Amino acid sequence: MARFDRLSVLNTVIAGGMVPLFYNADVDTARQIAAALYKGGARVLEFTNRGDFAIEVFSALVKHCAQAQPELIVGAGSVDDAPTAALYMAHGANFVVGPTFNEEVVRVCNRHKVAYMPGCGSVNDIARAEEWGVEIVKAFPGTAVGGPGFVKDLLGPRPWSRLMPTGGVTTEEANLRAWFDAGVACVGMGSNLVKKDWVKAGDFQSIEHATRGALDLIRVIRGL
């Protein structure tokens, strides 16, 4: 069961402006990555549903974070069907992210008032997700759908849409500025933030520094 209600999750995502995402098959490593993200200022993270027994790592991570970083909102990503969404919610997912929009997933999320951020790659997909009550749509893959230009063009006739590009988002100022100047509500950032080399070397401090740097840049770009 989620520890955070849907409105709190959505407001926290928008306030921070960035959802870090990662997958790691080792529970202790996942805990250290989560701690580094939290120390860097992140208050939301997405654990992606990849690899065998990912649910077991996720479940252990959720329990750990509830004690060690109680302000950290943990959600599940790469969820593409309703049974998987229900499984992750039963293990404490506070939000669900998917690579596509799925009506069965949104139905089960809405039934439990859990935020659902589906991946959409066209205006029609985004409009359809919003008809189902989705507040934040994941523009995915971010660069493949058209990058910041797609966001800007879409928000012209649809200024109410809240988009979270994932894929093609980096920690560099020019990249972040392009996305936020185009009007995104927030960004999702994975391998450009939680780098494999850092994780392999046990260099979690670099993840912390990169997280802090990206969040600081987002605040500056937003004029906060």
Side-chain angles (χ1 to χ4, degrees):
M1 187 174 181
R3 286 198 303 120
F4 298 88
D5 64 78
R6 179 159 59 184
L7 290 178
S8 297
V9 171
L10 294 170
N11 285 330
T12 302
V13 168
I14 291 172
M18 181 176 76
V19 177
L21 57 128
F22 73 94
Y23 166 75
N24 196 283
D26 180 69
V27 173
D28 186 57
T29 303
R31 288 171 179 164
Q32 293 186 74
I33 294 170
L37 295 170
Y38 181 80
K39 289 177 183 176
R43 292 297 176 266
V44 179
L45 76 79
E46 173 191 333
F47 183 84
T48 55
N49 174 44
R50 295 175 187 170
D52 294 335
F53 308 110
I55 186 63
E56 295 181 6
V57 181
F58 177 82
S59 185
L61 181 64
V62 166
K63 292 172 185 172
H64 171 78
C65 289
Q67 299 298 318
Q69 297 99 19
E71 296 176 32
L72 186 59
I73 300 172
V74 182
S78 298
V79 175
D80 212 18
D81 58 71
T84 304
L87 178 65
Y88 273 88
M89 285 193 286
H91 284 263
N94 293 287
F95 62 91
V96 172
V97 181
T100 62
F101 173 73
N102 182 293
E103 292 182 8
E104 296 303 318
V105 174
V106 76
R107 186 174 286 119
V108 73
C109 286
N110 283 343
R111 191 169 293 154
H112 295 273
K113 288 200 171 184
V114 168
Y116 175 46
M117 293 177 265
C120 296
S122 71
V123 179
N124 281 344
D125 284 349
I126 292 168
R128 183 162 157 255
E130 290 174 340
E131 286 175 359
W132 280 83
V134 170
E135 290 290 346
I136 300 175
V137 174
K138 171 181 168 181
F140 180 75
T143 49
V145 301
F150 171 78
V151 174
K152 188 175 181 179
D153 290 345
L154 180 135
L155 292 179
R158 299 180 61 80
W160 54 81
S161 292
R162 295 186 180 92
L163 302 180
M164 176 180 70
T166 303
V169 180
T170 72
T171 57
E172 283 73 30
E173 180 174 357
N175 181 277
L176 289 171
R177 189 173 291 281
W179 285 113
F180 280 93
D181 283 353
V184 300
C186 56
V187 295
M189 201 181 309
S191 59
N192 287 313
L193 183 69
V194 183
K195 296 188 177 182
K196 287 183 179 179
D197 291 347
W198 292 345
V199 174
K200 187 176 180 180
D203 183 10
F204 300 104
Q205 195 170 44
S206 288
I207 296 173
E208 176 187 338
H209 290 163
T211 302
R212 184 176 296 110
L215 290 171
D216 286 346
L217 278 173
I218 290 169
R219 277 190 287 272
V220 170
I221 293 167
R222 283 173 157 179
L224 301 177

